Amino acid sequence: MKAIMSRSIGGPETLVLEEVDDPVAAAGQILIRVKASGVNFPDTLIIEDKYQFKPKRPFSPGAEFSGVVEAVGRDVCSFQLGDRVMGFSRWGSMAQKIAVDASRCVMIPDNMPFDEASAFILTFGTSYYALKEKGGLRSGETLLVLGAAGGVGLAAIEIGKAMGARVVAAVSTTEKATLVREHGADRAVIYPTAPFDASSRRDAARLLKEACAPDGAHVVCDVVGGDYSDAALRAIAWDGRFLVVGFAAGIPHIPLNLPLLKSCQIIGVFWGLWLDQSEQHLSRSAAELLKWYKGGKLRPCISARFSLAEAGDAIAQLAARKALGKVVVNVD
Ligand SMILES: NC(=O)c1ccc[n+]([C@@H]2O[C@H](COP(=O)([O-])OP(=O)(O)OC[C@H]3O[C@@H](n4cnc5c(N)ncnc54)[C@H](OP(=O)(O)O)[C@@H]3O)[C@@H](O)[C@H]2O)c1
């Protein structure tokens, strides 16, 4: 099979398209002919050895995918040959085939195309876990989403609306502001570009506070980190929940007087490890997400498509902060 491979530590330009051996489905696994692979920010980190997990080289990046079951390993009774599935694997889906634990896959509904399915399970799954399981977002509350026009951010807007929240979406450009409004944000805020000096730090906090008035944000979904986290924490409501989801702009350092002043919680969110706690976590959350999808509440937004040979360019687009919604690699 063909696969995009990382053979040396480095950026997307180091990835190469190669002919490699087909993987084999072990016990509990299924072998999938990959149709499409959704690009996620962790793909930019894993090829540079900056991610929590460091696979042995050579490896193929790609953490969420859709495809067709081509073989079934021992002890698997939940899938059959020919089933359309989507799933999650920490790496390996920027390839024509992937062998993955059956418990990490769910069936694709008939009306869902493969490209949308490849941009769904990790992206919407992370925001679902953040807002529902960790944030306890309630109807009528104000949700502030940073990096709101990215994959996880746009999903957080739509899930927030499905849960009845007022959504304030913070982004860096007018183009991204238009996109977040189209996906249901009640209000779009354009924040200054980090790194912040004292004046832009104050401006960013003021903009977010004004947008989240009168109470402030009951829940903050932070996929950006860096200087943006401090500004967002200053806009949180009394007793609010600040969800630490990602660090696209770097790992922030937070003065601990801020959570004391708002009596708020800072909550870590690690979707991949949550899945490891119970096989029910993926199946139950996917069932509710697919119900919302079928009801038209969730609309995966794919703004750019690349071939397998161009997978490095797809990852580069995300790393350069240029992606709107999701970028997908069409494998087959
Ligand atoms: N905790 C978990 O379980 C989990 C699961 C999946 C992903 N994540 C993390 O969540 C974050 C978002 O992932 P994603 O796949 O949605 O990424 P994405 O589509 O690239 O979105 C990230 C957003 O961050 C903003 N950003 C600010 N500074 C940036 C910079 N220097 N470089 C790139 N983007 C920057 C951009 O929005 P603006 O330009 O509007 O600021 C961008 O749209 C990542 O940090 C990822 O590692 C965490």
Side-chain angles (χ1 to χ4, degrees):
M1 70 163 183
K2 287 193 166 48
I4 279 287
M5 302 301 288
S6 170
R7 288 202 165 268
S8 55
I9 301 171
E13 70 288 350
T14 60
L15 298 172
V16 282
L17 184 66
E18 289 185 350
E19 194 69 37
V20 298
D21 291 342
D22 282 9
V24 176
Q29 291 192 324
I30 52 178
L31 179 70
I32 295 157
R33 175 167 284 278
V34 178
K35 290 285 185 183
S37 175
V39 184
N40 291 279
F41 201 81
D43 298 325
T44 72
L45 302 174
I46 201 165
I47 59 174
E48 297 207 41
D49 276 8
K50 290 181 179 164
Y51 193 51
Q52 290 99 331
F53 301 98
K54 296 180 178 50
K56 197 164 155 286
R57 286 191 167 75
F59 73 92
S60 181
E64 67 179 336
F65 56 84
S66 62
V68 177
V69 177
E70 201 172 85
V72 172
R74 200 164 31 84
D75 302 333
V76 175
C77 30
S78 42
F79 295 104
Q80 298 179 353
L81 301 195
D83 280 348
R84 298 169 78 243
V85 294
M86 55 182 159
F88 161 69
S89 166
R90 292 195 168 96
W91 58 86
S93 72
M94 291 187 184
Q96 288 180 316
K97 295 182 188 185
I98 184 170
V100 63
D101 288 354
S103 62
R104 291 301 160 91
C105 296
V106 295
M107 297 285 279
I108 302 176
D110 290 342
N111 64 340
M112 188 183 223
F114 280 117
D115 58 353
E116 287 194 6
S118 78
F120 194 77
I121 204 78
L122 187 161
T123 312
F124 284 87
T126 298
S127 292
Y128 177 93
Y129 173 54
L131 300 181
K132 183 142 185 173
E133 302 286 335
K134 301 298 289 183
L137 180 67
R138 292 185 286 267
S139 181
E141 288 192 320
T142 296
L143 166 67
L144 169 62
V145 183
L146 305 187
V152 175
L154 218 46
I157 294 174
E158 294 189 345
I159 292 171
K161 291 309 297 175
M163 292 174 71
R166 176 175 77 111
V167 179
V168 175
V171 292
S172 61
T173 66
T174 50
E175 196 185 14
K176 289 182 177 183
T178 302
L179 182 71
V180 297
R181 282 194 209 95
E182 286 168 2
H183 281 261
D186 298 284
R187 175 105 189 242
V189 181
I190 300 177
Y191 41 48
T193 301
F196 294 161
D197 59 16
S199 151
S200 48
R201 188 180 304 272
R202 272 195 303 277
D203 284 350
R206 182 182 46 75
L207 280 170
L208 297 178
K209 276 183 192 167
E210 280 172 10
C212 296
D215 296 341
H218 301 100
V219 175
V220 177
C221 181
D222 181 8
V223 306
V224 177
D227 286 352
Y228 300 91
S229 301
D230 180 289
L233 191 51
R234 290 173 196 273
I236 204 164
W238 174 259
D239 246 351
R241 288 89 77 203
F242 187 100
L243 303 172
V244 180
V245 182
F247 310 117
I251 297 177
H253 299 276
I254 298 293
L256 281 180
N257 63 316
L258 296 180
L260 182 151
L261 290 171
K262 295 293 179 67
S263 210
C264 69
Q265 301 172 56
I266 297 179
I267 303 170
V269 174
F270 198 158
W271 178 73
L273 284 193
W274 178 63
L275 294 191
D276 288 347
Q277 312 304 309
S278 162
E279 289 190 3
Q280 306 295 314
H281 287 164
L282 182 64
S283 52
R284 283 205 194 125
S285 55
E288 182 157 29
L289 286 169
L290 287 172
K291 199 174 74 189
W292 283 334
Y293 174 84
K294 286 177 195 160
K297 292 182 172 170
L298 309 184
R299 295 176 299 135
C301 166
I302 300 169
S303 65
R305 293 172 168 82
F306 293 82
S307 68
L308 183 58
E310 300 165 330
D313 298 334
I315 294 176
Q317 190 171 93
L318 226 71
R321 205 175 177 174
K322 288 186 185 148
L324 294 173
K326 293 289 289 188
V327 170
V328 162
V329 174
N330 285 322
V331 177
D332 185 13

